[in-house]
Amino acid sequence: DTGVSQDPRHKITKRGQNVTFRCDPISEHNRLYWYRQTLGQGPEFLTYFQNEAQLEKSRLLSDRFSAERPKGSFSTLEIQRTEQGDSAMYLCASSPGQGREQYFGPGTRLTVT
Amino acid sequence: AQTVTQSQPEMSVQEAETVTLSCTYDTSESDYYLFWYKQPPSRQMILVIRQEAYKQQNATENRFSVNFQKAAKSFSLKISDSQLGDAAMYFCASLSSGTYKYIFGTGTRLKVLA
């Protein structure tokens, strides 16, 4: 078990471009979360998957954000038409069950220029 | 709605001393879970300690312990015998039973002075 991995670790993109991030959770974890973290703040919930089903999505997310978890394994987070305000660290976490702790990946740092 | 408040943006502690980080939360649920996570500089977040609200006994993990005051909705973290490696951002988080959304506080930056 190598933990939660995320790819890429860093992404620099120009405003208006689309970006996609990948998260590979711990294999036996059926719960997967995406968060956004800005400097000096705690992680902000974006969306949650249980297996392949997306069960909750933050109202803070605009329609430019979409996430998938095909076959209940890895997940992708896509941001379309990026804006400078999207610059942040995007964290993925997985959990083995309700009430259990989350295991975080190293994050993808997005910079929109 | 759940909320988590960490009122100390930054704390300092001398190596080998004890420090307490504060956290208050608000939830209307009777069953919930509380967590402290550590995020070292440029490294990923890891769990420090977890508390189930129905358990009255305070959780402990080696040098880390909590003071869980359910009535006051307080969940402070005590770090004993502080080490240089304890320097990090510490986040308090809550999860209400039956929901999926973990709510995090804004964090406390802990500095450990040699």
Side-chain angles (χ1 to χ4, degrees):
Chain A
D1 180 5
T2 57
V4 179
S5 61
Q6 292 186 244
D7 184 68
R9 296 289 304 276
H10 303 274
K11 179 70 177 179
I12 300 174
T13 191
K14 291 178 187 265
R15 184 165 55 91
Q17 296 295 304
N18 298 344
V19 294
T20 300
F21 310 141
R22 176 179 171 124
C23 170
D24 286 273
I26 293 172
S27 57
E28 60 266 29
H29 290 184
N30 63 347
R31 295 167 184 245
L32 187 146
Y33 299 78
W34 284 99
Y35 293 90
R36 178 170 60 191
Q37 186 179 27
T38 53
L39 198 62
Q41 298 296 314
E44 179 184 24
F45 172 83
L46 292 179
T47 191
Y48 162 70
F49 289 87
Q50 187 163 321
N51 299 311
E52 66 275 10
Q54 186 175 22
L55 296 186
E56 189 162 351
K57 183 176 175 179
S58 170
R59 283 172 288 181
L60 299 174
L61 276 188
S62 72
D63 291 341
R64 296 184 298 105
F65 287 72
S66 63
E68 294 182 340
R69 192 183 181 196
K71 302 178 184 178
S73 56
F74 72 92
S75 176
T76 58
L77 176 69
E78 181 183 15
I79 309 174
Q80 297 182 327
R81 304 181 304 281
T82 52
E83 303 172 355
Q84 287 190 321
D86 297 331
S87 295
M89 177 75 83
Y90 290 83
L91 299 173
C92 176
S94 68
S95 175
Q98 175 64 17
R100 297 289 304 277
E101 65 274 20
Q102 296 182 304
Y103 294 77
F104 283 84
T108 295
R109 182 168 296 284
L110 173 65
T111 302
V112 182
T113 61
Chain B
Q2 295 179 76
T3 60
V4 175
T5 302
Q6 294 180 251
S7 58
Q8 305 156 316
E10 190 170 294
M11 293 281 285
S12 296
V13 63
Q14 206 70 35
E15 198 176 4
E17 296 296 308
T18 295
V19 65
T20 299
L21 308 184
S22 301
C23 173
T24 57
Y25 62 92
D26 193 16
T27 177
S28 56
E29 301 292 328
S30 59
D31 190 16
Y32 52 91
Y33 308 87
L34 298 167
F35 308 85
W36 277 99
Y37 285 90
K38 170 185 177 181
Q39 189 175 39
S42 301
R43 293 179 62 188
Q44 62 205 76
M45 197 172 303
I46 57 172
L47 177 73
V48 175
I49 204 163
R50 171 179 174 267
Q51 174 83 40
E52 293 166 290
Y54 70 88
K55 289 187 176 178
Q56 293 187 339
Q57 186 173 4
N58 289 326
T60 62
E61 285 289 339
N62 301 313
R63 297 183 295 107
F64 299 87
S65 62
V66 298
N67 183 5
F68 175 44
Q69 300 288 328
K70 193 171 184 178
K73 295 185 177 176
S74 170
F75 183 61
S76 59
L77 175 70
K78 185 171 85 171
I79 306 174
S80 303
D81 185 26
S82 297
Q83 301 175 0
L84 295 177
D86 294 333
M89 284 289 289
Y90 286 82
F91 293 98
C92 179
S94 73
L95 173 70
S96 292
S97 181
T99 71
Y100 314 117
K101 190 185 297 188
Y102 293 74
I103 303 299
F104 286 81
T106 52
T108 297
R109 181 175 302 281
L110 179 66
K111 295 183 176 181
V112 181
L113 308 174

